[in-house]
Each structure stands twice: as structure tokens, then as C-alpha cells.
Amino acid sequence: MLKITVLVSGGGTNLQAIIDAIASGKITNTEIVKVISNVKNAYALERAKNNNISYAYISRKNFETIEDWEKALANEIDCCGTQLIVLAGFLSILPESFTTRYKNKIINVHPALIPSFCGPGFYGLHVHEAALKKGVKVSGATVHFVTEEVDGGPIIAQKAVDVLPGDTPETLQKRIMEQAEWIILPQAIDDIANNRL
Amino acid sequence: MLKITVLVSGGGTNLQAIIDAIASGKITNTEIVKVISNVKNAYALERAKNNNISYAYISRKNFETIEDWEKALANEIDCCGTQLIVLAGFLSILPESFTTRYKNKIINVHPALIPSFCGPGFYGLHVHEAALKKGVKVSGATVHFVTEEVDGGPIIAQKAVDVLPGDTPETLQKRIMEQAEWIILPQAIDDIANNRL
């Protein structure tokens, strides 16, 4: 069984997609051992609770130094035997020492077709605002390994989604979640768990 | 009837796609009044000849100054009442005075999903080499208006194409032509000819 820890910041719909995919057998040989949120009242923590998954709240702002924050994160991650860290709508940038420590063991889902609309500053709705401002007709999502370069690690999976006339950042975000993120993130986890990468 | 001049540099498969789409009625209210190549023996010129379309060879290297070259191009374009200039695999960068002269009257097809893999240096096989080097799983093509910024003008249409394991720049180029360029370029011309933009 691949033991995964899921890092979240918000509603946790990608976490829910992983939970559902494990329940339905779309992801096999995988167990979520922990959910960690950097936002105190993130609904993602409720989802963990509802599914009897161990969870923790660890925010940068509660630690004096980056090193202390990283140590707390690593403790939570390591204590339960985590083999893969999944960033699922985690809106904090991890320090380079963290990505080095867990080299090839962190994946992220980004709501655009990398290398479009990625890098520092491109997170959450900002990604979709930029895509609509550029006037693209196709966007999508990317699952990639996390390295010290923001959104720069090796690509695991991508899926295109049409941009439609009248789209707002919110409607585009929703469609990309439903038609891409919730599909390719579970697939990537299943591929890793079953050594298909 | 929208009168179009098609600028080419090579085999002219996008030109052929336009010719075929006019013949089959996929493009309506449109007439190709001229084909101009900047490469002397481009097969695209044979396609023009075979279809009784007026054609010309105009290369930068045969003119002393950029201004003379531009004047020769503009003469050929204007003499037959051109209303839209279509860059269909045209591998020369047009001077800013040309794009300003024909503002909103030039469209281009680029073999990637702009803003990925575009701008100076990204032409022909180089685009697909860059996409494969980055490891994207989805690429595609874009039709856009041409402005002074290379590949930077307003996007008209885009279509995604899967990158497959084992792809070379050549196989990816062929798939993107067949599954995207030859579809969205004729569609864009038909949309312009019938005032649907």
C-alpha cells in the first residue's frame, strides 16, 4: 500500500476526489494516512474527519522560523510512514529544503496546461483570470512532480478543457476541476501506486 | 466574397486544407486570390498552380532593404483586392510596419497552445522539440491575429492534441497538423468571412 499525505488549503474537492477514487477502486494499493491543512477552518479537514482520516493544522504563521515550520510539517508527514505527498489545492509555497528533502515524493495539481499560466503568482483564481485575459480557448490542468522551481518539475499528466464564451474565473475554475483535476490527480496517484510511471 | 492571400514557405498542407475546405463548402464566401511564397521551390506554389490560383515568389533576400521587400509584398497583396492575409506555415517574421499596415487583417496558425512554446525562435520543428523537451502531455495549435508582437496577437481559435509516448518532433508535428491546424485554420477563415468573430 502506498501511504499518502494530502496537503490542502481550502474546500478539499481534490481530496474528496482522491477519497472517492480509493472507495470506488479507481485508485488501488493506496491509503491516505494524513491530511494537513495550512488554513485552520479549511473544509478539507471536515472531509478528513468524516472519512476517519488523521488530520492536522500546521500554518507557517504559527512558527517563528521557516525551519521550525518545516520541522513540524516533516514530523507530521514522517510519523505515519508517508511515501508520497500530494498537494491538492495547497496554496503555500514550500521551502527548497522541503522539496529537496522529499525529492520525487511530492506531486501537485496545477489548474492550467503548464508551461502556460504557471510559476510564482499563478495560484487559485489568478490562474484562470490570466487565462481569460490572454483569451485562450483551451486551458486545463497538470499533475507534476514538485521541485524547487515553482510549477517547474517533471509533468506526469495533463488534460485539456475548453474555455467557453462568457466564462468567468469562477466558472472556468469549476469546469477545470470537474473535467480535469478530479480525473488526472487520482489517475496519477494510481499510476505511482502501481509503478506505471 | 472574402478575398484572401495565403503566405507560405513550404509544402503548403495548410494551404491545401483551405483549398479543400472551400471546395467542400466548409469555408463559404471566400476566394483565394493569391499565394505568395518566400521560398522559391516551395511545393505550396505547385498546389496554387494545380488549382489555378495566382501565385508569386517574393523573398527578403532578393531586396536590398526591408522597405523594398515590404513594398513588393504589399503590391502583390493589394493588386488583387486582398481583404485577409493568411500566414499558413510562413516562416519569415514580418516587419512591424507591415503588421501595422494590415492591422486586424493578418491571421497566423501556430503549432502550439499559445502562450506555451511561442515567440521568437519558436517556429517549425523547434516548437515541437521544445514541447517534447518540457514533457507536456497535451499540445495543439492556435489561430491568432498577427500584431507586432510575435505570436502575441488576439487568439481566434485553439485545439488541443495529445502528445503520445515515443513521439518525435516530426510525429507530433504531423498529428498537430492533421488533428488541429487543418481544422481550426479553415474554421477561422470561415468565421471571419461570415462575420462570426
Side-chain angles (χ1 to χ4, degrees):
Chain A
M1 294 290 274
L2 180 76
K3 294 182 174 182
I4 69 174
T5 284
V6 184
L7 269 57
V8 296
S9 297
T13 55
N14 271 310
L15 169 64
Q16 190 65 53
I18 298 167
I19 292 170
D20 293 347
I22 291 174
S24 70
K26 284 183 186 166
I27 297 177
T28 58
N29 299 315
T30 301
E31 177 190 4
I32 304 175
V33 292
K34 190 153 296 181
V35 172
I36 301 175
S37 172
N38 67 336
V39 173
K40 193 165 189 179
N41 295 315
Y43 186 69
L45 294 179
E46 291 296 315
R47 297 185 194 266
K49 200 187 298 183
N50 294 341
N51 288 276
N52 299 313
I53 301 166
S54 174
Y55 60 93
Y57 158 61
I58 301 176
S59 170
R60 168 72 187 87
K61 67 183 179 192
N62 296 329
F63 298 89
E64 203 162 313
T65 66
I66 290 184
E67 290 70 25
D68 288 347
W69 171 50
E70 186 186 329
K71 200 173 167 187
L73 268 180
N75 278 344
E76 280 292 344
I77 288 165
D78 294 342
C79 70
C80 45
T82 302
Q83 296 162 296
L84 180 73
I85 299 162
V86 179
L87 310 187
F90 182 70
L91 299 183
S92 194
I93 291 178
L94 294 162
E96 185 171 338
S97 52
F98 186 90
T99 56
T100 303
R101 182 196 289 241
Y102 295 105
K103 195 170 155 62
N104 298 324
K105 290 187 176 171
I106 316 173
I107 65 172
N108 179 47
V109 59
H110 182 78
L113 293 174
I114 289 173
S116 288
F117 314 118
C118 66
F122 287 103
Y123 60 91
L125 282 173
H126 298 303
V127 176
H128 307 295
E129 283 165 7
L132 292 175
K133 190 176 173 196
K134 179 69 186 171
V136 296
K137 311 299 179 185
V138 174
S139 190
T142 302
V143 177
H144 62 94
F145 284 107
V146 174
T147 63
E148 68 284 0
E149 185 193 344
V150 177
D151 297 328
I155 294 169
I156 300 168
Q158 292 187 301
K159 193 165 186 293
V161 174
D162 286 341
V163 178
L164 300 181
D167 260 336
T168 63
E170 289 78 8
T171 60
L172 183 57
Q173 180 181 54
K174 184 167 181 283
R175 188 177 318 112
I176 288 175
M177 281 182 175
E178 291 173 354
Q179 297 185 5
E181 293 177 53
W182 299 349
I183 296 165
I184 62 175
L185 182 59
Q187 275 175 354
I189 294 168
D190 187 55
D191 284 345
I192 292 169
N194 293 285
N195 296 310
R196 279 194 302 268
L197 279 199
Chain B
M1 295 288 273
L2 181 75
K3 294 182 175 183
I4 68 173
T5 284
V6 183
L7 269 58
V8 296
S9 297
T13 54
N14 272 309
L15 168 65
Q16 191 65 53
I18 298 167
I19 292 170
D20 293 347
I22 291 174
S24 71
K26 283 183 187 166
I27 298 178
T28 58
N29 299 316
T30 301
E31 178 190 5
I32 306 176
V33 291
K34 189 154 296 179
V35 171
I36 301 174
S37 171
N38 68 336
V39 173
K40 193 165 189 179
N41 295 314
Y43 186 69
L45 294 179
E46 292 295 315
R47 296 185 193 268
K49 200 187 297 185
N50 295 340
N51 289 276
N52 298 312
I53 301 167
S54 175
Y55 62 92
Y57 157 61
I58 301 176
S59 169
R60 169 70 187 89
K61 67 181 177 192
N62 296 329
F63 298 89
E64 204 162 310
T65 67
I66 289 185
E67 289 71 26
D68 289 346
W69 170 50
E70 187 186 329
K71 201 173 167 188
L73 269 180
N75 278 343
E76 280 292 344
I77 288 165
D78 294 342
C79 70
C80 44
T82 302
Q83 296 162 295
L84 181 73
I85 299 163
V86 179
L87 310 187
F90 182 70
L91 299 183
S92 193
I93 292 177
L94 294 162
E96 186 172 337
S97 52
F98 186 91
T99 57
T100 303
R101 182 196 287 241
Y102 296 104
K103 195 170 153 64
N104 298 324
K105 291 186 176 172
I106 315 173
I107 66 172
N108 180 47
V109 59
H110 183 78
L113 293 175
I114 289 173
S116 288
F117 314 118
C118 66
F122 287 104
Y123 60 91
L125 282 173
H126 298 303
V127 175
H128 307 295
E129 283 165 8
L132 291 175
K133 190 176 174 196
K134 179 68 186 171
V136 295
K137 310 299 179 186
V138 174
S139 190
T142 302
V143 178
H144 63 93
F145 284 107
V146 175
T147 63
E148 67 284 359
E149 186 193 343
V150 177
D151 298 328
I155 293 169
I156 300 168
Q158 293 186 300
K159 192 165 187 294
V161 174
D162 286 342
V163 178
L164 300 182
D167 259 337
T168 63
E170 289 78 9
T171 61
L172 183 56
Q173 179 181 54
K174 183 167 182 284
R175 188 177 317 109
I176 287 176
M177 281 182 176
E178 291 173 352
Q179 297 184 6
E181 294 177 53
W182 301 347
I183 296 164
I184 61 175
L185 182 58
Q187 276 175 354
I189 293 168
D190 188 54
D191 283 345
I192 292 170
N194 293 284
N195 298 307
R196 280 194 301 269
L197 279 198

